[in-house]
Amino acid sequence: MKHEWRKKEKKVYLPKNKPEIIEVPAYQFITLHGEGNPNSGLFSECIAALYSVSYAIKMTLKKLDNRPKNYVDYTVYPLEGVWDINQAAKENFTGLINKDDLVFKLMIRQPDFVSQAFFEEMLALTQQKKPQKQLTNLQFETIKEGKCVQMLHIGSYDNEPESFQLMEAFAKEQNLTRISKVHREIYLSDFRKVAVDKLKTVLRFRVV
């Protein structure tokens, strides 16, 4: 039976539009670091590279006769991003964020049966068949978030501070402290196809 994250992992990927606490275990990701305005061409190139290798992994596994142990067909996981600002912006922070100062780590989760070796094999295959500049910057790593506060944000990315205020107030009520201003976004909508006011994004930050 095909593993569909929208159906099988609702707690992780489909929270309600109100804050909640979640414990996020370790997952495998293909990741890519970048810096600058997310409206830039570079950002689009990063996304394209991540999806190219993620789909190469999925489609190649589906065709193999000798598949990894515990293999099941699956829906490719959504794009995620961990966001911060650069050091210079932190040192001169005025309360307003200039998008050119953003630092991001984009990623797409991979099933547990995908290995580092297979990632490298599919990366090489993608570089051969569909060469892209950003492919050389891709990494395969395991990330554990641990205890977090999250909620579903509906609407423009520019309105996310409103949801973060709700999340921080909720954390305070639960006697939890936000570790840093670094946060994760999980993109449930394709911004190229969905109206801005209907965009759905999971917002999450770590707490102690």
Side-chain angles (χ1 to χ4, degrees):
M1 183 179 291
K2 188 173 183 178
H3 182 86
E4 299 182 59
W5 53 267
R6 286 184 179 271
K7 295 180 179 179
K8 302 290 181 65
E9 299 182 81
K10 291 183 178 180
K11 184 172 180 61
V12 178
Y13 294 104
L14 298 173
K16 296 178 181 179
N17 61 337
K18 62 180 183 179
E20 64 181 24
I21 300 169
I22 182 174
E23 187 75 29
V24 186
Y27 294 130
Q28 298 186 139
F29 294 89
I30 299 175
T31 67
L32 190 156
H33 288 268
E35 185 170 342
N37 196 313
N39 297 313
S40 69
L42 169 64
F43 193 75
S44 297
E45 291 175 6
C46 292
I47 294 173
L50 284 165
Y51 273 112
S52 292
V53 178
S54 293
Y55 273 99
I57 289 172
K58 170 186 164 60
M59 300 311 296
T60 303
L61 282 172
K62 196 172 182 179
K63 297 174 185 176
L64 287 178
D65 292 327
N66 185 23
R67 294 166 178 161
K69 183 179 179 181
N70 299 324
Y71 168 82
V72 291
D73 188 20
Y74 63 97
T75 302
V76 170
Y77 282 92
L79 178 72
E80 305 185 34
V82 174
W83 294 89
D84 197 358
I85 55 176
N86 61 41
Q87 191 59 39
K90 289 178 181 178
E91 293 172 358
N92 300 283
F93 191 63
T94 62
L96 296 175
I97 293 177
N98 183 332
K99 290 184 179 181
D100 292 336
D101 296 330
L102 289 169
V103 176
F104 55 84
K105 184 175 186 178
L106 296 178
M107 63 192 75
I108 295 178
R109 184 179 155 194
Q110 303 300 309
D112 293 340
F113 50 76
V114 174
S115 67
Q116 171 83 36
F118 193 72
F119 158 72
E120 292 175 357
E121 183 181 338
M122 292 302 98
L123 177 59
L125 179 66
T126 305
Q127 288 172 323
Q128 179 183 353
K129 290 188 172 183
K130 193 178 180 181
Q132 301 168 59
K133 183 179 179 180
Q134 294 302 322
L135 290 173
T136 57
N137 296 322
L138 295 184
Q139 302 290 326
F140 189 79
E141 59 182 304
T142 299
I143 298 171
K144 181 178 180 180
E145 289 180 90
K147 182 177 285 188
C148 299
V149 169
Q150 69 174 12
M151 72 175 285
L152 179 65
H153 173 79
I154 301 175
S156 171
Y157 303 130
D158 293 335
N159 295 335
E160 288 179 359
E162 298 171 11
S163 292
F164 281 120
Q165 286 180 1
L166 294 174
M167 294 165 69
E168 290 176 352
F170 172 79
K172 188 175 181 179
E173 291 172 0
Q174 302 298 316
N175 295 316
L176 297 170
T177 302
R178 183 174 179 175
I179 291 177
S180 74
K181 289 298 183 181
V182 174
H183 72 274
R184 178 179 294 264
E185 300 182 1
I186 303 175
Y187 306 102
L188 304 181
S189 305
D190 186 337
F191 64 88
R192 298 167 300 178
K193 302 176 182 178
V194 177
V196 171
D197 62 336
K198 294 183 179 180
L199 290 171
K200 293 183 178 181
T201 310
V202 178
L203 302 181
R204 184 186 295 160
F205 56 69
R206 297 178 63 209
V207 293
V208 291

